[in-house]
Structures are given as C-alpha cells and as structure tokens.
Amino acid sequence: MRLILMGPPGAGKGTQARYVADHFGIPAISTGDIFRANVSQGTALGKKAQEYMDAGEYVPDEITNLMVRARIDEPDAAPGFLLDGYPRTLAQVEELDGMIKHTGHVLDAVVVLVVDPDELVARLVQRAEVEGRADDTEDVIRRRQEVYAEQTEPLIGVYRGRGIVQEIDGIGEVTEVTERIFAALDVVPQS
Ligand code: AMP
C-alpha cells in the first residue's frame, strides 16, 4: 500500500498518518519530522533546512527529494509507505513518480484532509502552546498556509486527474476522522 496524506498545516495529518500507517503495517514517513530530527541533532541536513522551516518556507526540492528517496529505500518501506507532508511541489510529484515506478509499484491513493482555514489557525495556535514548535508563531503560521495554497493545493488537481484522490472531512474527533479515512480506503485495491 502506497499512500499520500495531504492537507493544509494543522489539518491533523501527523496524527492520522500514524493510525492509518499502523493499520496497514507500513511506516508513516513525515518529511517535517525527519527535518525536525535533523535540526535537533545538528546534522548538516538540519543546518540547511532550519532557516527555511523557521520562516515557514519550503526546503528546496533537491534537498527534500534526496532525503525521501533514501528513506523510501529503507527495508521497512519495501511493503509500502504513507507519506505525510510529501510531495508538496509539482517537482516533488514527478520525483516521487520516478521513485515508485522504479520499484514497479503504483500510488494507491491520495487522502486529502479538508479543514476550514479559521479552524486551522486556531488549532495551530493551540499546538504552539503545547509543543512549542519554532514554526508555530502567528506570522509563520500564516505564511505556511499561503505557501500551502500556492505550491501544494494545485497538486490535488494533478492527482484528481489520475482518479486517486479521496477527500475526507477533517473536522471532528480524531477517531471519527480515522474511520472516514478507513471507509474511503477500503474501496482502494491493494498493490
Ligand atoms: P510539517 O511538519 O509537515 O508541517 O513540515 C514542517 C516544515 O518542514 C515545512 O514548513 C517545511 O519547511 C519543511 N518541509 C516538510 N516537508 C517538506 C516538503 N515536502 N518540501 C519542502 N519542505 C518541507
């Protein structure tokens, strides 16, 4: 099973990614989490990524693509994976197509969490208080929403054209949203 979980910042992707990935026995691969781990460990990759992340901008494609390619090549991703936060640009879509084709598989579904923008900002402000993420200040939150709308939302149209998009109402209890995702995915054939 090869899945992408998409949605604007604050839509609850990270939480849902873990539940859905566990259900299918595949790793949830979060590019944001990998970048954050590199930043906190002070690696060369973390040093390159940090200034972009702190500003709410996307890390350049060439850095992100190499990182995802290496992660997907890990043995635990052989049966499949769920990508949380990748792809985010059209260039990343093409890169991912190449990576998946190379393994002889297909992308099974793109799950899009749909959440009202006002609700998103409220959630992110609350998360900033709980987690203290450096990119959860109000200006950066706003910038991250803009970047998503400009660079990532158009990807939904690309995948819709391939007939693999499942749009899910992301408002409600975490378990309710998970059930909606499972209901939508049951109709997707496994590869
Ligand atoms: P996230 O936790 O998914 O919201 O990601 C946090 C930050 O990491 C983003 O605001 C970007 O700066 C960076 N990032 C995560 N995934 C990507 C990606 N696919 N392309 C570029 N930058 C990314």
Side-chain angles (χ1 to χ4, degrees):
M1 189 65 136
R2 283 158 187 81
L3 301 171
I4 294 173
L5 188 56
M6 277 183 65
K13 291 192 299 296
T15 309
Q16 296 300 334
R18 284 186 288 274
Y19 288 128
V20 175
D22 279 357
H23 176 84
F24 290 109
I26 54 178
I29 300 176
S30 158
T31 42
D33 281 352
I34 301 174
F35 281 133
R36 277 185 289 279
N38 277 276
V39 168
S40 64
Q41 289 158 19
T43 68
L45 177 70
K47 288 190 179 111
K48 281 187 211 156
Q50 184 162 26
E51 64 176 298
Y52 299 99
M53 296 174 76
D54 286 351
E57 305 293 337
Y58 286 167
V59 177
D61 285 335
E62 55 273 23
I63 298 175
T64 309
N65 287 335
L66 273 178
M67 185 179 86
V68 172
R69 190 176 280 274
R71 180 63 189 87
I72 281 178
D73 276 346
E74 302 265 328
D76 67 333
F81 47 79
L82 183 155
L83 293 170
D84 159 14
Y86 183 94
R88 266 169 146 115
T89 65
L90 289 168
Q92 292 179 12
V93 169
E94 283 176 27
E95 191 74 16
L96 178 64
D97 284 344
M99 292 181 216
I100 293 179
K101 201 172 162 197
H102 179 72
T103 64
H105 294 98
V106 294
L107 194 56
D108 295 283
V110 177
V111 174
V112 180
L113 292 179
V114 181
V115 180
D116 175 74
D118 289 341
E119 169 82 16
L120 290 174
V121 176
R123 284 186 188 190
L124 287 170
V125 168
Q126 197 194 11
R127 185 173 75 186
E129 285 162 12
V130 177
E131 294 180 15
R133 269 176 55 164
D135 58 355
D136 272 349
T137 64
E138 203 182 323
D139 281 354
V140 178
I141 287 171
R142 204 169 297 124
R143 181 62 194 145
R144 287 168 65 217
Q145 303 294 346
E146 280 171 13
V147 172
Y148 177 83
E150 286 162 12
Q151 298 199 48
T152 303
E153 227 163 34
L155 273 48
I156 299 171
V158 172
Y159 286 125
R160 197 179 281 127
R162 301 185 192 178
I164 54 171
V165 169
Q166 299 283 352
E167 276 180 307
I168 305 293
D169 176 5
I171 300 280
E173 294 295 321
V174 169
T175 50
E176 285 170 1
V177 177
T178 312
E179 287 306 318
R180 287 176 203 144
I181 296 174
F182 287 159
L185 289 179
D186 276 345
V187 300
V188 176
Q190 302 236 359
S191 67

